[in-house]
């Protein structure tokens, strides 16, 4: 149910993060959704050396926005999950709900080794732990996130994960 987030964890745990390059996970539909090739990604990595995070989301007027309220408006249990999870992570929920920040989305970014490793160790892994081990959080995240899977690949992955619907896991971790 974690999809890209499990891959991020495996990359870190298997020592695949290289000290001299960006690391990221790219969706198989990346080229269709963003119009960028792998060569474009390589060129961005070369041009942006020294950056911690490079996002490939749709260009908008501003990539800075209140992401948590946006997700919460789309997915029925998201606000409750965020409050419980952010408290477990030691992050003040009221601050996270009010502030605007850059959000490149889950599978459309790459990060420096230190940023990638910190993100996995301090956000992804602890979030997964609480989603699996806190009964309240687990119950909420397993509920239907009201996201219609797009294409046969999405249905395949849901079947593989053993869930009848899209759960909140990936949306919360984005």
């Amino acid at each position: 149910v974690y999809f890209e987030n499990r891959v991020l964890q495996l990359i870190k745990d298997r020592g695949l993060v290289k000290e001299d390059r960006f690391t990221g996970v790219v969706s198989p539909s990346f080229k269709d959704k963003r119009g960028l090739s792998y060569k474009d990604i390589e060129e961005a990595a070369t041009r942006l050396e020294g950056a911690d995070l490079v996002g490939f989301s749709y260009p908008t007027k501003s990539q800075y926005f209140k992401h948590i309220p946006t997700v919460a408006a789309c997915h029925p249990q998201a606000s409750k999950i965020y409050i419980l999870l952010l408290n477990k992570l030691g992050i003040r929920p009221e601050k996270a709900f009010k502030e605007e920040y850059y959000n490149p989305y889950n599978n459309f970014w790459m990060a420096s080794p230190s940023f990638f490793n910190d993100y996995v160790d301090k956000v992804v892994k602890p979030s997964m732990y609480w989603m699996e081990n806190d009964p309240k959080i687990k119950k909420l995240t397993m509920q239907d996130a009201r996201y219609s899977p797009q294409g046969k690949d999405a249905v395949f992955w849901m079947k593989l994960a053993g869930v009848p619907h899209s759960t909140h896991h990936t949306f919360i971790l984005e």
Side-chain angles (χ1 to χ4, degrees):
V1 291
Y2 295 104
F3 300 108
E4 298 95 345
N5 296 287
R6 183 66 76 199
V7 175
L8 298 176
Q9 178 192 5
L10 291 172
I11 289 170
K12 165 81 171 63
D13 290 351
R14 293 180 180 172
L16 300 174
V17 178
K18 305 295 181 205
E19 287 304 314
D20 62 341
R21 61 181 65 155
F22 287 101
T23 302
V25 176
V26 178
S27 163
S29 59
F30 182 77
K31 186 170 174 60
D32 293 335
K33 288 184 176 180
R34 298 297 180 255
L36 298 170
S37 67
Y38 293 113
K39 184 178 180 189
D40 295 327
I41 295 170
E42 287 177 30
E43 288 174 6
T46 303
R47 274 193 335 270
L48 299 168
E49 191 173 328
D52 283 321
L53 178 66
V54 179
F56 299 105
S57 295
Y58 288 119
T60 63
K61 201 178 217 181
S62 171
Q63 283 298 134
Y64 289 83
F65 62 98
K66 295 177 182 174
H67 180 69
I68 290 178
T70 302
V71 171
C74 299
H75 306 292
Q77 300 300 327
S79 290
K80 292 177 191 173
I81 298 167
Y82 277 126
I83 290 167
L84 292 168
L85 192 57
L86 290 170
N87 278 318
K88 294 283 189 186
L89 296 175
I91 300 168
R92 292 181 24 225
E94 62 276 6
K95 185 176 181 181
F97 274 80
K98 289 180 184 174
E99 289 190 7
E100 291 188 355
Y101 54 91
Y102 182 76
N103 180 34
Y105 289 109
N106 221 10
N107 50 5
F108 301 124
W109 59 269
M110 60 186 177
S112 68
S114 61
F115 189 97
F116 186 92
N117 289 332
D118 280 352
Y119 174 67
V120 172
D121 287 340
K122 295 176 181 175
V123 178
V124 174
K125 287 181 179 182
S127 295
M128 288 177 171
Y129 173 84
W130 292 116
M131 287 179 184
E132 292 170 13
N133 293 290
D134 182 281
K136 268 186 177 173
I137 296 173
K138 183 175 184 172
K139 182 180 179 182
L140 291 169
T141 55
M142 289 303 294
Q143 292 180 4
D144 189 346
R146 307 252 188 268
Y147 177 74
S148 299
Q150 299 170 358
K152 63 182 181 189
D153 289 343
V155 173
F156 167 79
W157 289 111
M158 284 188 345
K159 283 183 181 176
L160 189 65
V163 293
H165 51 257
S166 294
T167 64
H168 286 82
H169 297 82
T170 54
F171 305 109
I172 296 299
L173 286 171
E174 269 187 342

